[in-house]
Amino acid sequence: MGKRYKTSETTCQAISGALKQLMTQKPLERITVAEIMDTCGMRRQHFYYYFTDIYDLLRWTFEKEALELLQQQQGVSPWQNGFLHLFQYINQNRAVCLCALDSLGKESLKQLLEADVSSIVDRAVRQTAEENGLSAHSPEVEVVICLVTIMMAGAVESWLRGELTQTPEELTRRIDMMFQDYIRGVALRHEGSCRCIRIENEEGVFL
């Protein structure tokens, strides 16, 4: 989070809001600390009480808002609502997210997206695994969580850029079908392996 001499949530949020306002008007690299602080009506030097630089402020902004988003998802069912809320947040902050993507690069925003998506995916995949008779912490389930997280983060980024034109509801439905099918396939394979082992134990041969 960078250096913090004194924590003031209200001040940090005001500075963050000023940054977001400016990001709707110009690229991040053209925004100065002086502009940010002038926008929120504070002295320039106050910025450095809370943040090391503008990139530190941007990280705080996404992390703070992502944390609030994830807290809203605690206990939410079905899991798809979490993904739809993430789409809603991005849609409401589209200009800011596009500015961050263009300024920080794909990998930086990808890390931020995956942090949000991972929590949503983790709960959904483990629940589906248990419903299909698999251990929620099996190696196969861990692989599915990793792959689906990457897939969903990529879908969010492509949707943000306008490369995917499907609605968030349609994207969510399709991704849900894909990982449901994969989990069921793993469950069937496990069931088949267990059946072969039982036959071998009973007859001494594999069929």
Side-chain angles (χ1 to χ4, degrees):
M1 286 286 190
K3 65 182 179 182
R4 303 280 183 271
Y5 297 135
K6 186 200 279 184
T7 299
S8 172
E9 194 73 15
T10 301
T11 301
C12 288
Q13 289 180 347
I15 297 172
S16 172
L19 173 65
K20 290 175 67 175
Q21 179 181 334
L22 290 167
M23 287 176 72
T24 65
Q25 303 167 10
K26 61 176 71 178
L28 189 65
E29 56 270 20
R30 290 178 52 198
I31 298 173
T32 66
V33 171
E35 284 182 293
I36 294 171
M37 301 309 283
D38 184 61
T39 299
C40 62
M42 300 182 196
R43 293 183 179 179
R44 182 180 183 277
Q45 58 267 34
H46 288 172
F47 178 94
Y48 298 102
Y49 293 166
Y50 308 100
F51 306 102
T52 56
D53 55 28
I54 292 176
Y55 295 99
D56 184 33
L57 168 58
L58 182 61
R59 281 190 295 271
W60 183 89
T61 299
F62 278 120
E63 288 172 4
K64 170 68 178 173
E65 293 180 352
L67 178 61
E68 291 179 350
L69 178 68
L70 293 178
Q71 286 175 341
Q72 293 171 12
Q73 306 316 311
Q74 305 251 336
V76 170
S77 181
W79 71 268
Q80 290 90 339
N81 286 344
F83 195 38
L84 292 176
H85 284 151
L86 179 59
F87 270 116
Q88 184 180 28
Y89 167 79
I90 291 173
N91 193 44
Q92 291 171 348
N93 296 273
R94 181 177 290 270
V96 173
C97 290
L98 280 171
C99 180
L101 181 59
D102 292 335
S103 300
L104 297 180
K106 181 176 179 178
E107 287 305 311
S108 295
L109 189 60
K110 178 183 174 185
Q111 291 174 2
L112 292 168
L113 287 175
E114 287 187 2
D116 290 347
V117 170
S118 179
S119 177
I120 299 170
V121 170
D122 187 274
R123 177 163 51 92
V125 173
R126 294 190 197 281
Q127 178 181 335
T128 301
E130 290 179 339
E131 291 171 353
N132 284 272
L134 295 173
S135 167
H137 300 283
S138 67
E140 293 90 345
V141 170
E142 299 295 341
V143 170
V144 175
I145 291 172
C146 179
L147 292 177
V148 174
T149 296
I150 294 172
M151 182 192 310
M152 291 179 78
V156 170
E157 181 188 333
S158 296
W159 182 78
L160 172 62
R161 286 196 176 279
E163 297 165 354
L164 290 177
T165 57
Q166 292 90 344
T167 65
E169 290 79 7
E170 178 64 14
L171 286 172
T172 301
R173 187 184 69 81
R174 292 188 179 187
I175 292 173
D176 183 25
M177 289 174 57
M178 291 176 67
F179 86 72
Q180 292 264 8
D181 288 347
Y182 187 91
I183 288 291
R184 292 187 186 108
V186 172
L188 287 172
R189 186 166 65 250
H190 270 258
E191 183 180 340
S193 297
C194 291
R195 186 180 298 114
C196 287
I197 292 173
R198 287 197 299 270
I199 293 174
E200 182 188 35
N201 289 338
E202 292 171 2
E203 301 182 7
V205 294
F206 281 113
L207 298 180

